[in-house]
Amino acid sequence: MSYTVGQVAAFAGVTVRTLHHYDEIGLLPSGRSRAGHRQYEDADLDRLQQILFYRELGFPLDEVAVLLDDPGAEPVAHLRRQHELLTGRIDRLQRMAAAVEHAMEARKMGIDLTPEEKFEVFEDFDPDAHAAEAERRWGGGDPYTESQRRAAAYTKEDWLRIKEAADGLNARIAALMETGAAPESEAAMDLAEEHRQQISASFYGCSYEIHTGLAEMYVADERFTATYEAVRPGMAAFLRDAIFANAIRKV
């Protein structure tokens, strides 16, 4: 059965312009009626559903294309991966929502949260250990000083936002690794650049020189290695190599 672009837009809750864009970039090519109008088949609707699932998970369009066009991936494998990612996100968001509610109630009642309560959402993440490592590497230099200044002003909601962004990026790196992409690929380097920009946005201006230094630490320091390996085995080394490739590309 065939559907018009207007019908598909209504089914999926997207705009006709969005479908035109997906067609133009080859992400969701459409057929044509005898009159030259776009038309879609049931298989196209299945692909659109996959696209929208991945978009909801925060994947850029170029990465969605790589995932969907992987010849070795079956539709069920995509659904299984998306289910795992969505389940993980639901769990994190539920815990974050509970933490935010706790913080809101504390603010209303004028209660100061303890350091343990402020950082409980980070589970095994130890901000003090990261700060100590930064001080060892940079002393009282600009990156360490700037990081300390920003961190002192962050609320629990800020820390939750930062962690959610980092978790989302880690999930996309793991998903890219599953496709067999090399750390020197454009997609991997783009994720490495996003990683650098997250650090700059949240903690301190992260130059490419600093970023490559951190990359070495992700493999050399077992504390940091464990963080990435818990997301996906081999991720620490993959991210390090992608960071180095990105630095070479940008410098």
Side-chain angles (χ1 to χ4, degrees), residues 178-191:
E178 288 185 22
T179 69
E184 298 81 13
S185 65
E186 288 292 324
M189 289 190 289
D190 288 345
L191 289 174

Side-chain angles (χ1 to χ4, degrees), residues 176-232:
L176 180 63
M177 291 176 66
E178 288 185 22
T179 69
E184 298 81 13
S185 65
E186 288 292 324
M189 289 190 289
D190 288 345
L191 289 174
E193 176 63 18
E194 186 176 339
H195 181 271
R196 187 184 71 85
Q197 292 176 4
Q198 278 191 2
I199 295 172
S200 293
S202 300
F203 299 107
Y204 50 79
C206 185
S207 66
Y208 291 104
E209 180 181 2
I210 290 176
H211 202 207
T212 54
L214 290 172
E216 288 288 9
M217 184 174 68
Y218 295 156
V219 176
D221 190 313
E222 62 182 13
R223 295 169 300 172
F224 295 93
T225 301
T227 297
Y228 290 111
E229 295 300 294
V231 179
R232 191 185 192 283

Side-chain angles (χ1 to χ4, degrees), residues 76-94:
V76 173
H78 283 299
L79 290 172
R80 185 179 300 111
R81 178 189 297 123
Q82 290 163 347
H83 183 267
E84 291 173 354
L85 292 171
L86 286 168
T87 301
R89 172 172 287 188
I90 289 169
D91 179 62
R92 286 195 300 274
L93 289 176
Q94 287 177 333

Side-chain angles (χ1 to χ4, degrees), residues 27-42:
L27 182 60
L28 184 68
S30 66
R32 290 292 189 275
S33 67
R34 291 182 179 179
H37 300 302
R38 286 180 171 88
Q39 64 181 21
Y40 297 86
E41 309 299 329
D42 288 331

